[in-house]
Amino acid sequence: MDAEDVAAAKRKKEREEEWERYLRQEDARKTDQALADSQQQLAEIIERWGKAMTVERFFADAEERLKCTNDGRRLRLEERLALAKAMMGNADPLDFIESWVAPEERHRSKFI
């Protein structure tokens, strides 16, 4: 009986160790995936930020140029500029970074 008990205990310990290795590997995989996903999202945010800044500069330049136009044209263009801004929606780049999910927010390792 003792030999069987020892062998069973040894098998149980090996299964527990194997399970622990699996959990650690899975945790490391999730941590790596969270980092990759976060980096990808940040790259996309930076790209969108660049586009938003281009739009912002466009409207700022247009508003500045309006100051040098005659009254009749200025009124028409101010209206069109307001319509264009409304169509583009909110282009605040800070809204983009606010939506970013950091790696630690995606997955917090249980083993570190």
Side-chain angles (χ1 to χ4, degrees), residues 42-108:
L42 190 55
E44 292 167 4
I45 286 171
I46 291 168
E47 184 177 329
R48 288 184 6 233
W49 180 299
K51 289 177 183 177
M53 293 306 296
T54 299
V55 169
E56 195 173 279
R57 283 191 304 271
F58 169 81
F59 286 121
D61 187 49
E63 288 170 349
E64 189 63 33
R65 289 174 184 235
L66 278 177
K67 294 176 184 175
C68 300
T69 61
N70 65 44
D71 290 339
R73 186 173 188 218
R74 182 178 319 122
L75 289 175
R76 283 191 322 275
L77 290 174
E78 283 175 345
E79 187 176 307
R80 294 188 62 77
L81 189 58
L83 287 171
K85 278 182 166 183
M87 186 183 78
M88 290 305 292
N90 184 11
D92 184 359
L94 293 178
D95 289 342
F96 298 139
I97 197 70
E98 194 170 40
S99 69
W100 177 61
V101 181
E104 298 80 23
E105 295 170 322
R106 293 172 187 272
H107 175 73
R108 196 171 305 275

